[in-house]
Amino acid sequence: ELRVALRQARLEEAEELALAISDPSSPKYGNHLSVAELAAILQPPPEVITRVTEWLASKGANEPPVLAPTGDYLTAHLRVAAAEELLAAEM
């Protein structure tokens, strides 16, 4: 199993929202986000997910990679030899 982190989108917006949610003087104080709401902010564009998914498939992923519920990483299953080649590393 190999997890590939995706560059999160809209980090500045997420940071501002996190600060507002934790600031007692903010009208947004205590209004925490669900995982789906947070994913909607941080998840990269669909074309990025598609491109990384296709790349992993071309490198030997045994089945289509699975996008995490948070939308910020993909989980792929590869043979050790394929993962070593992909990462230019020895395990």
Side-chain angles (χ1 to χ4, degrees), residues 23-72:
D23 180 357
S25 66
S26 169
K28 294 183 179 182
Y29 179 68
N31 294 328
H32 301 284
L33 300 177
S34 68
V35 171
E37 291 169 324
L38 185 59
I41 295 170
L42 295 177
Q43 186 170 324
E47 59 271 11
V48 170
I49 297 168
T50 299
R51 203 167 47 228
V52 175
T53 298
E54 290 171 351
W55 174 69
L56 287 167
S58 76
K59 298 298 182 182
N62 297 334
E63 52 197 54
V66 176
L67 184 64
T70 51
D72 59 349

Side-chain angles (χ1 to χ4, degrees), residues 2-4 55 78 80-91:
L2 177 69
R3 290 187 180 179
V4 178
W55 174 69
L78 297 107
V80 171
E84 287 178 336
E85 183 180 337
L86 177 72
L87 300 172
E90 195 172 309
M91 294 182 204

